[in-house]
Amino acid sequence: MTLPTLTLETARARLRRLGFYGLLAQTETLLGEPWLERVLDLEEHERARRSLKRRLDHARLGAFKPLADFDWHWPVKCERALIEELFALAFIEEAANVVLIGPNGLGKTMLLKNLAYQAVLHGHSARFTLASDMLHDLAAPDSTSALALRLRRYTRPTVLAIDEVGYLSYDARYADLLFEVVTRRYEQQRPVLLTTNKPFHEWNQVFPNAACVVTLVDRLLHRAEIVALDGKSYRLKEAQERTARKSKSRTTATRKEH
């Protein structure tokens, strides 16, 4: 005879967590049934699967390369130990922002998406957005109540990943909206992950004539991990390698024809 591996307390806790109150009322009677633990395992697994899918859908990460494909040796400046430490996700508990700063083409977006993905895998909610998409969404002319709903899209998730701050310039209205998002998340102790190609002292070029820029930067940096990357664009390197391969292939084909 197979002895049950569930204790009464564990069975009750799992049934209560799943909302199986009819079974919960009969826990003592059902504890010796061989199917009980199997049912609990199946239900918990299915709920975890559906929850993960739902969080991934809401995160809107799109396609991205896994961290295993990141070329640590390409950037001339890259604090690998700090980046790997971030993947332990302690910044979420600490409500610390993460800012990836550096020139284009060094993998900032790849790292940003992988951090958000790791957060989702560990049960957190997340949302990825281009800075331009978020600000245009928030600035869409509509009612105050509609703006409040849109703001919740960016303040409710545990992790908000904002990509490409600094690639475009915005007026004061957009600066105020970014400030609102950052401030609300600051007050709720929810971290912002952000990539930018501009040092903070140049953010007045991103938001010219905006009075809130200094305070915005101050809120971002008060509790923050700064990851600085430097070097030449990896995308440019790949494009040059592709061009070289194509050229070599055409040369080889021409020689065969002659």
Side-chain angles (χ1 to χ4, degrees), residues 90-115:
F91 68 88
I92 294 178
E93 296 302 321
E94 297 167 1
N97 299 325
V98 177
V99 178
L100 298 154
I101 184 169
N104 301 344
L106 289 176
K108 299 188 301 296
T109 299
M110 179 181 177
L111 293 172
L112 184 74
K113 287 190 173 186
N114 273 278
L115 277 171

PDB file of all heavy atoms in Angstrom, residues 90-115:
ATOM      1  N   ALA A  90      17.518  41.178  -7.382  1.00  0.00           N
ATOM      2  CA  ALA A  90      17.452  41.856  -6.090  1.00  0.00           C
ATOM      3  C   ALA A  90      16.956  43.289  -6.242  1.00  0.00           C
ATOM      4  O   ALA A  90      16.368  43.861  -5.311  1.00  0.00           O
ATOM      5  CB  ALA A  90      18.833  41.850  -5.426  1.00  0.00           C
ATOM      6  N   PHE A  91      17.148  43.882  -7.419  1.00  0.00           N
ATOM      7  CA  PHE A  91      16.717  45.268  -7.635  1.00  0.00           C
ATOM      8  C   PHE A  91      15.198  45.416  -7.497  1.00  0.00           C
ATOM      9  O   PHE A  91      14.707  46.506  -7.179  1.00  0.00           O
ATOM     10  CB  PHE A  91      17.181  45.773  -9.002  1.00  0.00           C
ATOM     11  CG  PHE A  91      16.511  45.122 -10.179  1.00  0.00           C
ATOM     12  CD1 PHE A  91      15.320  45.621 -10.685  1.00  0.00           C
ATOM     13  CD2 PHE A  91      17.073  44.010 -10.789  1.00  0.00           C
ATOM     14  CE1 PHE A  91      14.705  45.025 -11.774  1.00  0.00           C
ATOM     15  CE2 PHE A  91      16.471  43.403 -11.880  1.00  0.00           C
ATOM     16  CZ  PHE A  91      15.281  43.905 -12.367  1.00  0.00           C
ATOM     17  N   ILE A  92      14.460  44.322  -7.712  1.00  0.00           N
ATOM     18  CA  ILE A  92      13.000  44.400  -7.572  1.00  0.00           C
ATOM     19  C   ILE A  92      12.627  44.581  -6.103  1.00  0.00           C
ATOM     20  O   ILE A  92      11.806  45.438  -5.758  1.00  0.00           O
ATOM     21  CB  ILE A  92      12.328  43.144  -8.163  1.00  0.00           C
ATOM     22  CG1 ILE A  92      12.558  43.098  -9.679  1.00  0.00           C
ATOM     23  CG2 ILE A  92      10.832  43.131  -7.859  1.00  0.00           C
ATOM     24  CD1 ILE A  92      11.979  41.867 -10.351  1.00  0.00           C
ATOM     25  N   GLU A  93      13.229  43.777  -5.246  1.00  0.00           N
ATOM     26  CA  GLU A  93      12.949  43.901  -3.809  1.00  0.00           C
ATOM     27  C   GLU A  93      13.438  45.243  -3.271  1.00  0.00           C
ATOM     28  O   GLU A  93      12.826  45.825  -2.369  1.00  0.00           O
ATOM     29  CB  GLU A  93      13.627  42.753  -3.049  1.00  0.00           C
ATOM     30  CG  GLU A  93      13.094  41.372  -3.414  1.00  0.00           C
ATOM     31  CD  GLU A  93      11.599  41.238  -3.176  1.00  0.00           C
ATOM     32  OE1 GLU A  93      11.126  41.780  -2.154  1.00  0.00           O
ATOM     33  OE2 GLU A  93      10.913  40.624  -4.005  1.00  0.00           O
ATOM     34  N   GLU A  94      14.542  45.722  -3.836  1.00  0.00           N
ATOM     35  CA  GLU A  94      15.102  46.991  -3.369  1.00  0.00           C
ATOM     36  C   GLU A  94      14.417  48.199  -4.007  1.00  0.00           C
ATOM     37  O   GLU A  94      14.707  49.337  -3.636  1.00  0.00           O
ATOM     38  CB  GLU A  94      16.598  47.039  -3.686  1.00  0.00           C
ATOM     39  CG  GLU A  94      17.411  45.963  -2.966  1.00  0.00           C
ATOM     40  CD  GLU A  94      18.813  45.816  -3.534  1.00  0.00           C
ATOM     41  OE1 GLU A  94      19.157  46.575  -4.482  1.00  0.00           O
ATOM     42  OE2 GLU A  94      19.559  44.947  -3.056  1.00  0.00           O
ATOM     43  N   ALA A  95      13.527  47.946  -4.972  1.00  0.00           N
ATOM     44  CA  ALA A  95      12.867  49.017  -5.733  1.00  0.00           C
ATOM     45  C   ALA A  95      13.899  49.951  -6.353  1.00  0.00           C
ATOM     46  O   ALA A  95      13.743  51.178  -6.371  1.00  0.00           O
ATOM     47  CB  ALA A  95      11.902  49.798  -4.849  1.00  0.00           C
ATOM     48  N   ALA A  96      14.974  49.352  -6.879  1.00  0.00           N
ATOM     49  CA  ALA A  96      16.054  50.116  -7.492  1.00  0.00           C
ATOM     50  C   ALA A  96      15.888  50.121  -9.005  1.00  0.00           C
ATOM     51  O   ALA A  96      15.671  49.063  -9.618  1.00  0.00           O
ATOM     52  CB  ALA A  96      17.412  49.518  -7.112  1.00  0.00           C
ATOM     53  N   ASN A  97      15.983  51.286  -9.605  1.00  0.00           N
ATOM     54  CA  ASN A  97      15.923  51.380 -11.054  1.00  0.00           C
ATOM     55  C   ASN A  97      17.205  50.831 -11.673  1.00  0.00           C
ATOM     56  O   ASN A  97      18.244  50.762 -11.011  1.00  0.00           O
ATOM     57  CB  ASN A  97      15.728  52.833 -11.490  1.00  0.00           C
ATOM     58  CG  ASN A  97      14.438  53.425 -10.964  1.00  0.00           C
ATOM     59  OD1 ASN A  97      13.429  52.739 -10.860  1.00  0.00           O
ATOM     60  ND2 ASN A  97      14.463  54.706 -10.626  1.00  0.00           N
ATOM     61  N   VAL A  98      17.120  50.451 -12.936  1.00  0.00           N
ATOM     62  CA  VAL A  98      18.288  49.982 -13.679  1.00  0.00           C
ATOM     63  C   VAL A  98      18.376  50.798 -14.956  1.00  0.00           C
ATOM     64  O   VAL A  98      17.439  50.819 -15.755  1.00  0.00           O
ATOM     65  CB  VAL A  98      18.188  48.479 -14.021  1.00  0.00           C
ATOM     66  CG1 VAL A  98      19.387  48.040 -14.867  1.00  0.00           C
ATOM     67  CG2 VAL A  98      18.092  47.638 -12.757  1.00  0.00           C
ATOM     68  N   VAL A  99      19.496  51.480 -15.144  1.00  0.00           N
ATOM     69  CA  VAL A  99      19.697  52.314 -16.328  1.00  0.00           C
ATOM     70  C   VAL A  99      20.865  51.759 -17.126  1.00  0.00           C
ATOM     71  O   VAL A  99      21.987  51.666 -16.621  1.00  0.00           O
ATOM     72  CB  VAL A  99      19.967  53.779 -15.948  1.00  0.00           C
ATOM     73  CG1 VAL A  99      20.211  54.612 -17.208  1.00  0.00           C
ATOM     74  CG2 VAL A  99      18.802  54.342 -15.140  1.00  0.00           C
ATOM     75  N   LEU A 100      20.589  51.353 -18.369  1.00  0.00           N
ATOM     76  CA  LEU A 100      21.620  50.893 -19.295  1.00  0.00           C
ATOM     77  C   LEU A 100      21.945  52.048 -20.221  1.00  0.00           C
ATOM     78  O   LEU A 100      21.077  52.516 -20.957  1.00  0.00           O
ATOM     79  CB  LEU A 100      21.110  49.691 -20.086  1.00  0.00           C
ATOM     80  CG  LEU A 100      20.755  48.451 -19.249  1.00  0.00           C
ATOM     81  CD1 LEU A 100      19.712  47.605 -19.950  1.00  0.00           C
ATOM     82  CD2 LEU A 100      21.998  47.623 -18.976  1.00  0.00           C
ATOM     83  N   ILE A 101      23.184  52.505 -20.183  1.00  0.00           N
ATOM     84  CA  ILE A 101      23.544  53.710 -20.915  1.00  0.00           C
ATOM     85  C   ILE A 101      24.750  53.457 -21.804  1.00  0.00           C
ATOM     86  O   ILE A 101      25.714  52.808 -21.390  1.00  0.00           O
ATOM     87  CB  ILE A 101      23.809  54.868 -19.922  1.00  0.00           C
ATOM     88  CG1 ILE A 101      24.089  56.170 -20.666  1.00  0.00           C
ATOM     89  CG2 ILE A 101      24.935  54.538 -18.959  1.00  0.00           C
ATOM     90  CD1 ILE A 101      24.084  57.400 -19.757  1.00  0.00           C
ATOM     91  N   GLY A 102      24.659  53.925 -23.046  1.00  0.00           N
ATOM     92  CA  GLY A 102      25.776  53.748 -23.971  1.00  0.00           C
ATOM     93  C   GLY A 102      25.345  53.959 -25.403  1.00  0.00           C
ATOM     94  O   GLY A 102      24.161  54.148 -25.697  1.00  0.00           O
ATOM     95  N   PRO A 103      26.302  53.915 -26.336  1.00  0.00           N
ATOM     96  CA  PRO A 103      25.995  54.134 -27.757  1.00  0.00           C
ATOM     97  C   PRO A 103      25.087  53.051 -28.325  1.00  0.00           C
ATOM     98  O   PRO A 103      24.847  52.013 -27.699  1.00  0.00           O
ATOM     99  CB  PRO A 103      27.383  54.088 -28.424  1.00  0.00           C
ATOM    100  CG  PRO A 103      28.374  54.266 -27.324  1.00  0.00           C
ATOM    101  CD  PRO A 103      27.738  53.702 -26.099  1.00  0.00           C
ATOM    102  N   ASN A 104      24.618  53.296 -29.531  1.00  0.00           N
ATOM    103  CA  ASN A 104      23.738  52.349 -30.210  1.00  0.00           C
ATOM    104  C   ASN A 104      24.478  51.059 -30.547  1.00  0.00           C
ATOM    105  O   ASN A 104      25.689  51.057 -30.783  1.00  0.00           O
ATOM    106  CB  ASN A 104      23.197  52.952 -31.508  1.00  0.00           C
ATOM    107  CG  ASN A 104      22.425  54.235 -31.275  1.00  0.00           C
ATOM    108  OD1 ASN A 104      22.045  54.537 -30.153  1.00  0.00           O
ATOM    109  ND2 ASN A 104      22.201  54.987 -32.333  1.00  0.00           N
ATOM    110  N   GLY A 105      23.715  49.960 -30.599  1.00  0.00           N
ATOM    111  CA  GLY A 105      24.236  48.716 -31.148  1.00  0.00           C
ATOM    112  C   GLY A 105      25.113  47.890 -30.240  1.00  0.00           C
ATOM    113  O   GLY A 105      25.860  47.025 -30.714  1.00  0.00           O
ATOM    114  N   LEU A 106      25.040  48.106 -28.927  1.00  0.00           N
ATOM    115  CA  LEU A 106      25.888  47.344 -27.999  1.00  0.00           C
ATOM    116  C   LEU A 106      25.104  46.304 -27.205  1.00  0.00           C
ATOM    117  O   LEU A 106      25.662  45.629 -26.350  1.00  0.00           O
ATOM    118  CB  LEU A 106      26.602  48.299 -27.030  1.00  0.00           C
ATOM    119  CG  LEU A 106      27.710  49.143 -27.652  1.00  0.00           C
ATOM    120  CD1 LEU A 106      28.274  50.113 -26.622  1.00  0.00           C
ATOM    121  CD2 LEU A 106      28.829  48.250 -28.197  1.00  0.00           C
ATOM    122  N   GLY A 107      23.809  46.174 -27.469  1.00  0.00           N
ATOM    123  CA  GLY A 107      23.024  45.140 -26.798  1.00  0.00           C
ATOM    124  C   GLY A 107      22.223  45.618 -25.610  1.00  0.00           C
ATOM    125  O   GLY A 107      21.763  44.803 -24.805  1.00  0.00           O
ATOM    126  N   LYS A 108      22.003  46.926 -25.495  1.00  0.00           N
ATOM    127  CA  LYS A 108      21.237  47.443 -24.355  1.00  0.00           C
ATOM    128  C   LYS A 108      19.811  46.894 -24.359  1.00  0.00           C
ATOM    129  O   LYS A 108      19.290  46.481 -23.319  1.00  0.00           O
ATOM    130  CB  LYS A 108      21.208  48.976 -24.362  1.00  0.00           C
ATOM    131  CG  LYS A 108      22.557  49.650 -24.258  1.00  0.00           C
ATOM    132  CD  LYS A 108      22.452  51.157 -24.064  1.00  0.00           C
ATOM    133  CE  LYS A 108      21.708  51.857 -25.178  1.00  0.00           C
ATOM    134  NZ  LYS A 108      22.391  51.741 -26.490  1.00  0.00           N
ATOM    135  N   THR A 109      19.178  46.903 -25.525  1.00  0.00           N
ATOM    136  CA  THR A 109      17.802  46.402 -25.621  1.00  0.00           C
ATOM    137  C   THR A 109      17.746  44.913 -25.315  1.00  0.00           C
ATOM    138  O   THR A 109      16.821  44.440 -24.642  1.00  0.00           O
ATOM    139  CB  THR A 109      17.234  46.674 -27.024  1.00  0.00           C
ATOM    140  OG1 THR A 109      17.221  48.081 -27.258  1.00  0.00           O
ATOM    141  CG2 THR A 109      15.810  46.133 -27.156  1.00  0.00           C
ATOM    142  N   MET A 110      18.725  44.178 -25.791  1.00  0.00           N
ATOM    143  CA  MET A 110      18.801  42.734 -25.529  1.00  0.00           C
ATOM    144  C   MET A 110      18.871  42.463 -24.027  1.00  0.00           C
ATOM    145  O   MET A 110      18.154  41.617 -23.487  1.00  0.00           O
ATOM    146  CB  MET A 110      20.023  42.165 -26.237  1.00  0.00           C
ATOM    147  CG  MET A 110      20.259  40.680 -26.038  1.00  0.00           C
ATOM    148  SD  MET A 110      21.768  40.202 -26.932  1.00  0.00           S
ATOM    149  CE  MET A 110      21.877  38.470 -26.493  1.00  0.00           C
ATOM    150  N   LEU A 111      19.710  43.202 -23.328  1.00  0.00           N
ATOM    151  CA  LEU A 111      19.830  43.040 -21.875  1.00  0.00           C
ATOM    152  C   LEU A 111      18.544  43.459 -21.173  1.00  0.00           C
ATOM    153  O   LEU A 111      18.083  42.800 -20.231  1.00  0.00           O
ATOM    154  CB  LEU A 111      21.008  43.858 -21.352  1.00  0.00           C
ATOM    155  CG  LEU A 111      22.402  43.395 -21.790  1.00  0.00           C
ATOM    156  CD1 LEU A 111      23.461  44.414 -21.369  1.00  0.00           C
ATOM    157  CD2 LEU A 111      22.735  42.015 -21.201  1.00  0.00           C
ATOM    158  N   LEU A 112      17.950  44.556 -21.642  1.00  0.00           N
ATOM    159  CA  LEU A 112      16.707  45.052 -21.043  1.00  0.00           C
ATOM    160  C   LEU A 112      15.601  44.004 -21.145  1.00  0.00           C
ATOM    161  O   LEU A 112      14.909  43.709 -20.158  1.00  0.00           O
ATOM    162  CB  LEU A 112      16.280  46.327 -21.760  1.00  0.00           C
ATOM    163  CG  LEU A 112      15.058  47.055 -21.215  1.00  0.00           C
ATOM    164  CD1 LEU A 112      15.401  47.779 -19.929  1.00  0.00           C
ATOM    165  CD2 LEU A 112      14.517  48.051 -22.247  1.00  0.00           C
ATOM    166  N   LYS A 113      15.426  43.444 -22.334  1.00  0.00           N
ATOM    167  CA  LYS A 113      14.370  42.455 -22.527  1.00  0.00           C
ATOM    168  C   LYS A 113      14.640  41.185 -21.731  1.00  0.00           C
ATOM    169  O   LYS A 113      13.711  40.570 -21.183  1.00  0.00           O
ATOM    170  CB  LYS A 113      14.217  42.127 -24.014  1.00  0.00           C
ATOM    171  CG  LYS A 113      13.562  43.233 -24.819  1.00  0.00           C
ATOM    172  CD  LYS A 113      13.201  42.773 -26.222  1.00  0.00           C
ATOM    173  CE  LYS A 113      12.390  43.813 -26.967  1.00  0.00           C
ATOM    174  NZ  LYS A 113      11.908  43.322 -28.293  1.00  0.00           N
ATOM    175  N   ASN A 114      15.879  40.774 -21.639  1.00  0.00           N
ATOM    176  CA  ASN A 114      16.203  39.582 -20.864  1.00  0.00           C
ATOM    177  C   ASN A 114      15.965  39.792 -19.373  1.00  0.00           C
ATOM    178  O   ASN A 114      15.526  38.868 -18.680  1.00  0.00           O
ATOM    179  CB  ASN A 114      17.647  39.152 -21.124  1.00  0.00           C
ATOM    180  CG  ASN A 114      17.788  38.237 -22.327  1.00  0.00           C
ATOM    181  OD1 ASN A 114      17.572  37.029 -22.229  1.00  0.00           O
ATOM    182  ND2 ASN A 114      18.126  38.815 -23.472  1.00  0.00           N
ATOM    183  N   LEU A 115      16.224  40.987 -18.876  1.00  0.00           N
ATOM    184  CA  LEU A 115      15.929  41.283 -17.469  1.00  0.00           C
ATOM    185  C   LEU A 115      14.427  41.234 -17.212  1.00  0.00           C
ATOM    186  O   LEU A 115      13.973  40.659 -16.213  1.00  0.00           O
ATOM    187  CB  LEU A 115      16.487  42.656 -17.089  1.00  0.00           C
ATOM    188  CG  LEU A 115      17.953  42.735 -16.703  1.00  0.00           C
ATOM    189  CD1 LEU A 115      18.398  44.184 -16.575  1.00  0.00           C
ATOM    190  CD2 LEU A 115      18.216  41.980 -15.394  1.00  0.00           C
TER     191      LEU A 115
END
